[in-house]
Amino acid sequence: MPVSDQAKEALFLQETGEVFLEIITITAEGLDPIRVVNNTQDIISGGQVYRASRFKVRFPSGKIGSSTKATIEISNVDRRPVEVVRKSKKPITLSAALIKASTPDVIEQGPFEYTLRQTRWVGTSLSADLIDDADGNIAIPRIHYNSQDFPALY
């Protein structure tokens, strides 16, 4: 999904009053979804209330030799994320999107769908690996080698 012209303009300005927010929804079969926004205040987007929370999503850098796995770390102040991990017998999914605070009903990027794997919690935070495919496979593009781009192979 392409970013709106208004979002592009705000991104390229040297100074802007626009705030971009990440929203995530964590779902597991048979359990109530958890909706959080990386903000200090709750927000309503698409008719759903996203609770203020602190979290970090780390995507792969794309550099050769670096990790190809994405991860998330969620502040577990209210213990709901850990309860979902403990109670769920089926895969847990995470949907992530980017919105602007001024137009929370407009999704600027996403939603991006992931499956949580290798969950772990320490103290007040929960972390997990994010797999971009329900089968647990990470999509890796096919690489074509040619003499111009890879002369050492020929």
Side-chain angles (χ1 to χ4, degrees):
M1 169 183 277
V3 177
S4 70
D5 290 338
Q6 294 83 4
K8 285 180 191 173
E9 183 179 331
L11 286 168
F12 291 121
L13 286 174
Q14 187 170 3
E15 291 183 25
T16 182
E18 193 60 72
V19 177
F20 288 87
L21 302 171
E22 297 169 288
I23 57 173
I24 60 173
T25 303
I26 300 171
T27 55
E29 190 175 309
L31 299 172
D32 292 333
I34 296 173
R35 293 182 179 87
V36 292
V37 59
N38 202 2
N39 196 20
T40 58
Q41 298 176 353
D42 295 352
I43 195 162
I44 296 173
S45 178
Q48 302 294 332
V49 176
Y50 289 81
R51 301 286 175 208
S53 184
R54 184 191 67 77
F55 61 87
K56 278 186 208 172
V57 179
R58 292 182 191 95
F59 294 100
S61 69
K63 294 180 182 176
I64 294 174
S66 66
S67 175
T68 59
K69 122 179 106 170
T71 60
I72 185 165
E73 184 178 328
I74 305 171
S75 177
N76 190 30
V77 175
D78 68 358
R79 299 281 185 215
R80 288 183 312 145
V82 168
E83 288 177 16
V84 167
V85 170
R86 286 182 178 163
K87 291 179 181 178
S88 179
K89 304 288 187 243
K90 303 273 183 176
I92 301 167
T93 59
L94 179 139
S95 177
L98 184 69
I99 61 171
K100 291 189 308 183
S102 63
T103 54
D105 291 328
V106 177
I107 303 293
E108 294 295 343
Q109 279 285 286
F112 303 103
E113 305 292 331
Y114 299 96
T115 301
L116 270 68
R117 296 287 161 86
Q118 300 295 323
T119 55
R120 47 216 172 263
W121 52 88
V122 177
T124 59
S125 68
L126 169 74
S127 61
D129 296 341
L130 301 175
I131 307 298
D132 68 356
D133 184 11
D135 295 331
N137 298 320
I138 298 174
I140 300 174
R142 186 173 178 181
I143 299 174
H144 295 281
Y145 296 100
N146 60 47
S147 60
Q148 184 176 7
D149 295 329
F150 300 93
L153 296 176
Y154 290 90

